[in-house]
Amino acid sequence: MERSMSSINDRVRLLRNYLLRNGLCAFIFPSTDPHQGEYVPEHWMTRQWISGFDGSAGTAVVTLSDAALWTDSRYFIAAEAQLKGTPFQLMKDGLPETPSIEEWLCEKVKRLKSEKVKNLVVGIDGEVYTPEDIEQMEAAFGKAGIKLRTDLDPAEELWTDRPPIPKNKVEIQPLEFAGETAQSKIERVRQALREKGADSILISQLDEIAWLLNLRGSDVHCNPVFVSYVLLTLDEVTLFIDEEKLDDSVRNYLKEIGVKVKPYKDPSKSPLKGETPKVLPLREGSGGSLISSLKSIKNAAEIEGFRRAMIRDGVAMVKFLRWLKPAVEMGGETELSIDRKLTALRAEQPLYRGLSFDTIAAYGPHGAIVHYEATPETDVPLEPKGLLLLDSGAQYQDGTTDITRTIALGPLTDEERLDYTLVLKGHIRLALTRFPDGISGTQIDALARYAMWQHGINYGHGTGHGVGSYLCVHEGPHQIRHTWKPAPLHAGMTVTNEPGIYRAGKHGVRIENTMLIVEDGETEFGKFLRLEPLTLCPIDLTPVIWDMMTQEEVDYINAYHKKVYDALAPYLNEEERMSLPQPLQKASPCPSKGGENKIVK
Amino acid sequence: MERSMSSINDRVRLLRNYLLRNGLCAFIFPSTDPHQGEYVPEHWMTRQWISGFDGSAGTAVVTLSDAALWTDSRYFIAAEAQLKGTPFQLMKDGLPETPSIEEWLCEKVKRLKSEKVKNLVVGIDGEVYTPEDIEQMEAAFGKAGIKLRTDLDPAEELWTDRPPIPKNKVEIQPLEFAGETAQSKIERVRQALREKGADSILISQLDEIAWLLNLRGSDVHCNPVFVSYVLLTLDEVTLFIDEEKLDDSVRNYLKEIGVKVKPYKDPSKSPLKGETPKVLPLREGSGGSLISSLKSIKNAAEIEGFRRAMIRDGVAMVKFLRWLKPAVEMGGETELSIDRKLTALRAEQPLYRGLSFDTIAAYGPHGAIVHYEATPETDVPLEPKGLLLLDSGAQYQDGTTDITRTIALGPLTDEERLDYTLVLKGHIRLALTRFPDGISGTQIDALARYAMWQHGINYGHGTGHGVGSYLCVHEGPHQIRHTWKPAPLHAGMTVTNEPGIYRAGKHGVRIENTMLIVEDGETEFGKFLRLEPLTLCPIDLTPVIWDMMTQEEVDYINAYHKKVYDALAPYLNEEERMSLPQPLQKASPCPSKGGENKIVK
């Protein structure tokens, strides 16, 4: 979309006329869509359209007299540049002096009032907010005597070249990969509804719909989902979707499994002829929605699919790593060029369906920018020194992958080696931890941080998130995180293990494997669990300060690299096999130490 | 109070007449008092009066037709016995089949309705509930068409020999111990009120009142507090208290610091002549009340007081431990007799004011009962074998103590030694942990559990709680706990470090030191903290399995025992000094291990 200053100024002028015509004094443009997805289809990028700011997180607010955009520290610099010359003032979220949107709006609107603006009405597109969000806003504005109107979408009228809602084809996820029929999933949901005393559930999260119906799509960047809603009652299932997206095979499949099809429209916002006497709230306090909780426990076929996908992904990664260092030494490689190379190697793999997120190939200081994505403007050549942080993943029809490796391209500073070693120790500690079934990820998060905490180091992001089965790479409801995530951990869940250290202007280190939560015995104190690595790719050992590693940690690395070798060797040529790390021969000076972590079976 | 069956039956009969006379169909008796304290003065023990059940937690409900008592697993056996032959049915809290009080009441009351009972009104004494509790109940009952009446206290009329509200004298806590004048504390509270846009705060927690006004009392068992309320506004402070409790010195002191005195009555329940235009809620979501947060950060004088008190407490403990083993070998000692001995040794210490809680002296299988308190019925002789769990503490005018030691009275089983070693490893790990300023105790709780988790062992209680300065031994708002406690940890807070392992029918192990949270340097990643032991008493090393201990853990024990020796030696005679542990000479086979926990300063 066109993002020149002039076009932004025109849009804001047009919007203000629109506000006057509709009796509004302000409008709020968030970065959400009706389906609360992580990636938003262009059709719903109204905040970017009105403000020109294209970061993944931000909210634009336009009043009759003012305009401002809120975003977080990740985007301060980019937003500053993109808003230059527009009517939008940058509001730096998270700084003490920054007013909340509600505070700012109330103050501006009060001023408008003194200027004899009659209608103290703020507009939002209700479809892109959750009911909870809307309630909160109504409460906040209500105090200041401001009304909220939720049934308007100015972009519909003013955004002339607005991209349509995607109409890509929907495809069936075969039972061999899904592992459970849609009918069986629907029955389990109904059982849960009965237990909760609810008659129906309205599903707007696209990955929940795709999981429930064993369907996949390609409407959303990196996410094999399709734009739709599902209303599931005790005796009916209705899919609200644009008919164009369904070919005969899918239409027949839906008929077979007894799913009715209706045009795409948020059923909660449209008259449902009494179809929803008692809708179960989309989100329940206790960590995640009903569907996301069911979806988070992978069945045997999904787990097998993950294992196969991880072999293919590991093969691509090993081929890439073998290629990387010599290529960098020859020169001419950049963040973007190696991203293309890695993507090409993954694309060669069977069942490859695309990336699961935009690759983070961050060299040197870029590694310290947690959400860095190389662009032609930021791209830098890779030199045979320092650290490359490479966070990437793919969608395969039988599983989704998410892996981070930090690679020494040559000589390192002592600080780079220390940070790398502490991150590796944290990653291994969490992988070695046995923990009680059903505790929250918040309760084990510190184990990934302990080693770096002792050195006065910490990181601001979470330690782990769920990964979908040929679905979203970030999936709930559970997380391993320092902030409170109540969703309990259970066997069958996938979760990443990705501690990191980031030194602004210097480097970043992150080591991430996707793990499977597995049972690890039952004692008089209950069931216990541990994390088993699904990801199959060597961890670079050249940066490790071995004096800081315990024998137990060395043993873990050896066992993991043996597992990687055994799984990948059959798919690699002799040269590639040779490139895999051999077991380390560090002797054990202190067998006693085993006591600290002995697993009693 | 008389607790025979007949008297209980009489009381229930009288209560039902009372219900009919007052148009009620049921009444609820909780175990709380108007000040939400941990210990309840006898005057408010109405649940015990009506039901005969004397556990610390429980709720009695009497309808016109039924009666039931809810309590948790700690008290199932005791309640079973005490309710025998009374109209009360035992409701086992926490079991899936057990209905909630609301569910049970609604069902019973519906039945009454069909029996033509007109008034569907349930009564409670509103004074002993928080406003939040009352709102929740009104909501729950409202759904079932049941009204809640909150202004009645049947015990006032029916409990003929009801103990009066305590009228013990209040005393001034000298500034040398309090470290900050009441005027200064009042000013800090007012500052906080202004920042929160509130005009006043109503304080009902007795330890908060005692801290704010630098006063102490003796109205509550083991807690040096006095029954009262405080209403603090931006320009006035009013103490609601029975005048009899104040002698001239205190009355003059209150006058000097500008505190008005009014008769004891909950001001929120009585007309306040517009004194509270905008009362700040007693509890704010963000972990604890305003006052408890201020109180939790100890000032220099309070910390010095703790250190002095810990020396006196340690001296008493060392004298006790030196006496214990020979005494047990001679025979004739029991759980109650050693409790009396320890209490006597503490009572000899200067500034001793009593126990901070009832001693838990639990021998053998009793150690597995987390809240065990020996009685003449349960008391057992101590034999020269097995483990004694001893959790005790005292109130000194300059500090409150809380310490648990588990002592080998003789030969141990391998399981006892394993459990002891794992608890010690957890205690040390937490004590060695450096952590970021401001995180929640929930985030470090796992570090105390890691070692035992690896062996499939866990414990159900929290790992640490705040300790008051000559106030309550359990003090908030912070905790180190597996369940979510948002209150952030900061330097100057006290917190206990008390992991444990409990094997029903066999033994219990708990090792507890009271710790002070101290600053541990600042890096580019922020401020870091660690826990410094305040408790000064040797840890029994005879049960330790040394092969399971790392050199770092041995070094910690040596350093702690040296600290204990240096602090206590001047106050001990030669024999007692000799009884203190000498440094262990375990050589370090693996210096590398140090890397895991090096503190970078």
Side-chain angles (χ1 to χ4, degrees):
Chain A
M1 86 189 69
E2 227 269 89
R3 285 195 4 227
S4 72
M5 288 177 227
S6 62
S7 61
I8 298 299
N9 289 311
D10 295 344
R11 289 169 198 157
V12 170
R13 199 170 49 254
L14 288 168
L15 177 67
R16 289 192 170 132
N17 299 336
Y18 177 95
L19 295 181
L20 288 170
R21 272 185 280 117
N22 290 276
L24 302 174
C25 62
F27 207 92
I28 305 175
F29 299 88
S31 36
T32 51
D33 69 19
H35 305 287
Q36 280 76 47
E38 189 173 358
Y39 293 85
V40 173
E42 274 208 328
H43 174 81
W44 283 290
M45 293 184 175
T46 57
R47 182 257 302 156
Q48 177 171 345
W49 162 75
I50 192 69
S51 70
F53 170 63
D54 67 0
S56 71
T59 303
V61 183
V62 178
T63 76
L64 293 169
S65 56
D66 300 83
L69 180 126
W70 280 255
T71 189
D72 62 60
S73 54
R74 288 175 291 164
Y75 296 110
F76 288 168
I77 295 144
E80 197 82 63
Q82 295 179 2
L83 297 179
K84 202 156 176 303
T86 74
F88 286 90
Q89 174 190 3
L90 174 58
M91 294 290 186
K92 298 183 171 182
D93 257 339
L95 300 193
E97 64 269 26
T98 304
S100 73
I101 291 173
E102 284 78 6
E103 290 165 352
W104 183 85
L105 252 177
C106 291
E107 186 260 326
K108 296 297 178 194
V109 168
K110 264 193 236 111
R111 228 168 0 80
L112 288 170
K113 190 177 184 183
S114 62
E115 289 159 13
K116 318 252 173 311
V117 171
K118 265 156 236 61
N119 306 309
L120 294 191
V121 183
V122 170
I124 60 168
D125 174 3
E127 298 226 342
V128 304
Y129 286 90
T130 64
E132 296 74 31
D133 296 335
I134 293 175
E135 275 171 30
Q136 283 174 20
M137 271 195 259
E138 273 170 343
F141 291 140
K143 289 202 198 89
I146 301 170
K147 283 200 197 56
L148 192 68
R149 184 169 170 187
T150 64
D151 61 343
L152 291 172
D153 177 10
E156 208 51 57
E157 171 184 328
L158 306 178
W159 187 352
T160 46
D161 57 349
R162 181 179 197 174
I165 294 173
K167 294 191 180 337
N168 301 311
K169 290 291 180 209
V170 171
E171 60 174 26
I172 296 165
Q173 176 73 341
L175 189 58
E176 68 172 299
F177 301 135
E180 180 183 12
T181 64
Q183 296 98 312
S184 163
K185 292 177 179 178
I186 289 164
E187 260 327 299
R188 286 203 290 145
V189 173
R190 284 182 174 144
Q191 189 45 44
L193 289 179
R194 289 189 201 97
E195 282 160 14
K196 294 170 188 290
D199 304 329
S200 64
I201 181 170
L202 174 59
I203 310 171
S204 68
Q205 300 252 50
L206 301 186
D207 62 330
E208 297 184 356
I209 294 168
W211 173 83
L212 179 73
L213 301 179
N214 289 342
L215 295 174
R216 297 295 187 267
S218 57
D219 287 350
V220 179
H221 182 55
C222 293
N223 291 253
V225 297
F226 50 94
V227 174
S228 61
Y229 293 95
V230 159
L231 180 66
L232 189 159
T233 72
L234 293 180
D235 41 27
E236 278 192 342
V237 181
T238 310
L239 173 63
F240 296 82
I241 191 170
D242 183 330
E243 284 264 8
E244 282 179 49
K245 301 158 79 90
L246 310 176
D247 63 20
D248 292 348
S249 64
V250 175
R251 220 178 271 105
N252 293 335
Y253 165 77
L254 289 170
K255 196 169 290 131
E256 281 165 26
I257 63 173
V259 173
K260 293 199 295 181
V261 176
K262 292 191 177 182
Y264 174 73
K265 177 99 186 72
D266 181 347
S268 71
K269 308 275 183 348
S270 60
L272 278 166
K273 337 190 200 53
E275 255 171 345
T276 54
K278 206 154 123 214
V279 172
L280 187 74
L282 277 175
R283 289 256 162 281
E284 297 129 74
S286 61
S289 74
L290 164 62
I291 307 284
S292 73
S293 300
L294 294 173
K295 173 165 56 61
S296 67
I297 308 287
K298 309 307 181 210
N299 60 47
E302 289 174 314
I303 291 168
E304 271 320 296
F306 270 111
R307 295 193 194 281
R308 288 191 306 267
M310 292 291 175
I311 290 173
R312 277 179 246 117
D313 206 59
V315 167
M317 282 293 296
V318 167
K319 289 174 185 290
F320 171 81
L321 292 171
R322 210 187 117 283
W323 166 86
L324 178 65
K325 285 190 189 183
V328 168
E329 269 147 28
M330 281 168 54
E333 296 299 337
T334 72
E335 292 169 334
L336 286 175
S337 73
I338 62 162
D339 175 4
R340 284 190 295 272
K341 173 72 175 181
L342 175 57
T343 303
L345 286 164
R346 282 194 162 110
E348 290 172 6
Q349 296 295 323
L351 298 183
Y352 173 83
R353 296 304 183 89
L355 297 182
S356 57
F357 59 99
D358 293 315
T359 300
I360 299 173
Y363 179 54
H366 286 166
I369 305 165
V370 173
H371 291 260
Y372 178 74
E373 185 191 334
T375 65
E377 298 73 44
T378 66
D379 193 23
V380 291
L382 307 186
E383 296 167 54
K385 65 176 165 74
L387 293 172
L388 169 69
L389 189 157
L390 186 62
D391 189 348
S392 66
Q395 294 287 2
Y396 302 92
Q397 198 181 2
D398 50 358
T400 304
T401 67
D402 184 3
I403 173 175
T404 306
R405 289 295 180 264
T406 302
I407 304 136
L409 296 182
L412 302 179
T413 65
D414 291 348
E415 191 177 57
E416 286 168 328
R417 296 185 62 209
L418 172 67
D419 292 349
Y420 189 95
T421 305
L422 291 172
V423 169
L424 180 58
K425 286 175 73 73
H427 175 89
I428 293 173
R429 181 60 49 203
L430 187 58
L432 286 170
T433 300
R434 193 185 195 198
F435 55 94
D437 180 25
I439 69 173
S440 148
T442 302
Q443 289 164 253
I444 57 174
D445 177 78
L447 296 164
R449 301 174 191 265
Y450 177 82
M452 66 178 72
W453 277 358
Q454 299 309 89
H455 288 256
I457 302 172
N458 198 16
Y459 54 95
H461 59 71
T463 301
H465 57 79
V467 176
S469 168
Y470 186 34
L471 275 175
C472 303
V473 73
H474 294 150
E475 137 177 313
H478 60 292
Q479 279 186 50
I480 300 173
R481 203 182 172 74
H482 48 306
T483 49
W484 180 236
K485 297 290 164 187
L489 302 179
H490 293 303
M493 288 176 164
T494 54
V495 69
T496 60
N497 172 1
E498 50 179 311
I501 294 178
Y502 310 93
R503 299 209 191 243
K506 291 176 172 176
H507 61 267
V509 177
R510 185 163 65 252
I511 299 173
E512 172 187 28
N513 278 351
T514 301
M515 320 287 281
L516 176 69
I517 303 180
V518 296
E519 295 195 356
D520 192 22
E522 182 158 8
T523 71
E524 64 181 287
F525 299 93
K527 256 198 213 151
F528 281 76
L529 307 172
R530 65 183 168 80
L531 303 178
E532 175 198 306
L534 287 170
T535 300
L536 296 166
C537 175
I539 294 168
D540 190 357
L541 300 180
T542 56
V544 175
I545 301 170
W546 290 106
D547 277 356
M548 292 175 58
M549 301 295 283
T550 65
Q551 185 60 41
E552 185 192 20
E553 290 162 343
V554 173
D555 295 342
Y556 177 86
I557 293 170
N558 283 336
Y560 177 65
H561 279 161
K562 181 174 188 318
K563 174 181 178 155
V564 170
Y565 186 94
D566 295 345
L568 301 188
Y571 308 93
L572 301 174
N573 64 35
E574 186 56 26
E575 265 189 337
E576 291 156 352
R577 271 197 298 277
M578 294 302 294
S579 75
L580 295 176
Q582 303 307 310
L584 303 154
Q585 294 313 332
K586 189 185 186 192
S588 168
C590 33
S592 72
K593 213 181 311 152
E596 190 172 352
N597 311 87
K598 203 170 299 129
I599 303 281
V600 175
K601 285 275 166 55
Chain B
M1 105 192 44
E2 227 268 89
R3 282 191 6 227
S4 71
M5 287 178 227
S6 62
S7 61
I8 299 297
N9 289 315
D10 295 344
R11 289 168 199 159
V12 170
R13 198 171 50 254
L14 287 168
L15 177 66
R16 288 188 171 137
N17 298 337
Y18 177 94
L19 296 181
L20 288 170
R21 272 185 279 117
N22 289 275
L24 301 175
C25 62
F27 207 91
I28 305 175
F29 299 89
S31 37
T32 52
D33 69 18
H35 305 287
Q36 280 75 48
E38 190 174 357
Y39 293 85
V40 172
E42 274 208 326
H43 174 82
W44 282 291
M45 293 184 174
T46 57
R47 182 257 302 157
Q48 177 171 344
W49 162 75
I50 192 69
S51 70
F53 169 63
D54 66 0
S56 71
T59 303
V61 183
V62 178
T63 76
L64 293 171
S65 56
D66 300 83
L69 179 125
W70 279 255
T71 189
D72 62 60
S73 54
R74 288 175 290 165
Y75 296 110
F76 287 168
I77 295 145
E80 198 82 63
Q82 295 179 2
L83 297 179
K84 201 156 177 305
T86 74
F88 286 90
Q89 173 190 4
L90 173 58
M91 294 291 186
K92 297 183 172 182
D93 256 339
L95 300 192
E97 64 269 25
T98 304
S100 73
I101 292 173
E102 285 77 7
E103 289 166 351
W104 183 85
L105 253 177
C106 292
E107 186 259 328
K108 296 297 179 196
V109 168
K110 261 191 242 114
R111 231 173 352 86
L112 287 170
K113 191 177 183 184
S114 61
E115 289 160 15
K116 318 253 173 311
V117 171
K118 266 157 233 58
N119 306 307
L120 295 192
V121 184
V122 171
I124 61 168
D125 174 4
E127 299 227 341
V128 304
Y129 286 90
T130 64
E132 298 72 31
D133 296 336
I134 293 176
E135 276 170 30
Q136 283 173 21
M137 273 196 259
E138 274 170 341
F141 291 141
K143 291 203 197 87
I146 301 170
K147 285 202 195 56
L148 193 69
R149 183 167 170 187
T150 64
D151 62 342
L152 292 173
D153 177 10
E156 206 52 59
E157 173 183 328
L158 306 180
W159 187 354
T160 46
D161 57 349
R162 181 179 196 175
I165 295 173
K167 292 188 179 341
N168 302 312
K169 290 292 179 209
V170 170
E171 64 174 25
I172 297 165
Q173 175 74 340
L175 188 58
E176 69 170 302
F177 301 134
E180 180 183 10
T181 64
Q183 296 99 314
S184 162
K185 293 176 179 178
I186 289 163
E187 259 328 298
R188 286 203 290 144
V189 173
R190 285 183 173 141
Q191 188 48 44
L193 289 179
R194 289 188 202 97
E195 284 160 14
K196 294 170 187 291
D199 304 329
S200 65
I201 181 169
L202 174 59
I203 311 172
S204 68
Q205 300 251 52
L206 301 186
D207 62 329
E208 298 185 356
I209 294 168
W211 172 84
L212 179 73
L213 300 179
N214 289 342
L215 294 174
R216 297 293 187 269
S218 57
D219 287 350
V220 179
H221 181 57
C222 294
N223 290 254
V225 296
F226 49 94
V227 174
S228 61
Y229 293 95
V230 159
L231 180 67
L232 189 158
T233 73
L234 293 179
D235 41 27
E236 277 193 343
V237 181
T238 310
L239 173 63
F240 296 82
I241 189 169
D242 183 331
E243 284 266 7
E244 283 180 45
K245 303 159 79 89
L246 310 176
D247 64 20
D248 293 350
S249 65
V250 175
R251 222 182 265 101
N252 293 334
Y253 165 78
L254 289 170
K255 196 171 286 127
E256 281 165 26
I257 63 172
V259 172
K260 295 200 295 182
V261 176
K262 293 192 173 180
Y264 174 72
K265 178 101 189 68
D266 181 347
S268 71
K269 309 275 181 355
S270 59
L272 278 166
K273 337 184 201 55
E275 256 167 346
T276 53
K278 208 154 119 215
V279 172
L280 186 73
L282 276 176
R283 289 258 164 276
E284 297 129 73
S286 60
S289 75
L290 165 60
I291 307 284
S292 71
S293 300
L294 294 173
K295 172 165 57 62
S296 67
I297 308 287
K298 308 306 182 212
N299 61 45
E302 289 173 315
I303 291 169
E304 270 322 296
F306 270 111
R307 296 193 192 283
R308 288 191 305 268
M310 292 292 176
I311 291 174
R312 277 180 246 115
D313 206 59
V315 167
M317 281 295 295
V318 168
K319 291 176 185 289
F320 170 82
L321 291 171
R322 206 186 121 287
W323 165 86
L324 179 64
K325 286 192 191 181
V328 169
E329 271 147 26
M330 280 167 54
E333 297 299 337
T334 71
E335 292 169 333
L336 285 175
S337 73
I338 64 162
D339 176 2
R340 285 190 294 272
K341 172 72 176 181
L342 175 57
T343 303
L345 286 164
R346 281 193 163 113
E348 289 171 4
Q349 297 294 325
L351 298 182
Y352 172 83
R353 296 307 183 88
L355 296 183
S356 57
F357 59 98
D358 293 313
T359 300
I360 299 173
Y363 178 55
H366 286 165
I369 304 165
V370 174
H371 291 262
Y372 178 75
E373 186 192 334
T375 65
E377 297 73 42
T378 66
D379 192 21
V380 291
L382 306 187
E383 297 166 54
K385 66 175 165 73
L387 293 171
L388 169 70
L389 190 156
L390 187 62
D391 189 348
S392 66
Q395 294 286 2
Y396 303 92
Q397 199 182 5
D398 50 358
T400 304
T401 67
D402 184 3
I403 172 176
T404 306
R405 290 294 181 265
T406 303
I407 304 135
L409 296 183
L412 302 179
T413 66
D414 291 348
E415 190 177 57
E416 286 168 329
R417 295 185 62 211
L418 172 67
D419 291 349
Y420 189 95
T421 305
L422 292 173
V423 169
L424 180 58
K425 286 174 75 73
H427 175 89
I428 293 173
R429 180 60 51 205
L430 187 58
L432 286 169
T433 300
R434 193 185 194 196
F435 55 94
D437 181 25
I439 69 173
S440 149
T442 303
Q443 289 163 252
I444 55 173
D445 178 76
L447 295 163
R449 301 176 190 263
Y450 177 82
M452 67 178 73
W453 279 356
Q454 299 309 92
H455 288 255
I457 302 171
N458 198 15
Y459 54 94
H461 59 70
T463 301
H465 57 80
V467 176
S469 168
Y470 186 34
L471 274 175
C472 303
V473 74
H474 293 151
E475 157 177 294
H478 61 293
Q479 279 187 51
I480 300 175
R481 201 177 175 77
H482 49 304
T483 50
W484 180 237
K485 296 292 164 186
L489 303 178
H490 293 303
M493 289 176 162
T494 54
V495 68
T496 59
N497 172 2
E498 51 179 308
I501 294 179
Y502 310 93
R503 301 215 190 234
K506 291 175 171 179
H507 60 267
V509 176
R510 186 162 65 249
I511 300 173
E512 171 187 29
N513 277 350
T514 299
M515 321 287 281
L516 177 69
I517 302 180
V518 296
E519 295 195 358
D520 191 22
E522 183 157 10
T523 72
E524 65 180 289
F525 299 92
K527 256 198 214 151
F528 281 77
L529 308 172
R530 67 182 166 80
L531 303 178
E532 176 198 306
L534 287 171
T535 301
L536 297 166
C537 175
I539 295 168
D540 190 356
L541 299 180
T542 54
V544 176
I545 300 170
W546 291 106
D547 277 357
M548 292 175 58
M549 301 295 284
T550 66
Q551 184 60 40
E552 184 192 21
E553 291 162 345
V554 173
D555 295 343
Y556 177 86
I557 292 169
N558 282 336
Y560 178 65
H561 280 161
K562 180 175 189 317
K563 175 181 178 157
V564 170
Y565 186 96
D566 296 346
L568 302 188
Y571 308 93
L572 301 173
N573 65 35
E574 187 55 26
E575 266 189 337
E576 291 157 352
R577 269 198 299 278
M578 295 303 292
S579 74
L580 294 176
Q582 304 307 308
L584 303 155
Q585 294 313 331
K586 187 187 187 191
S588 167
C590 34
S592 73
K593 214 179 313 149
E596 191 174 350
N597 312 86
K598 203 169 298 129
I599 302 283
V600 175
K601 284 276 169 56

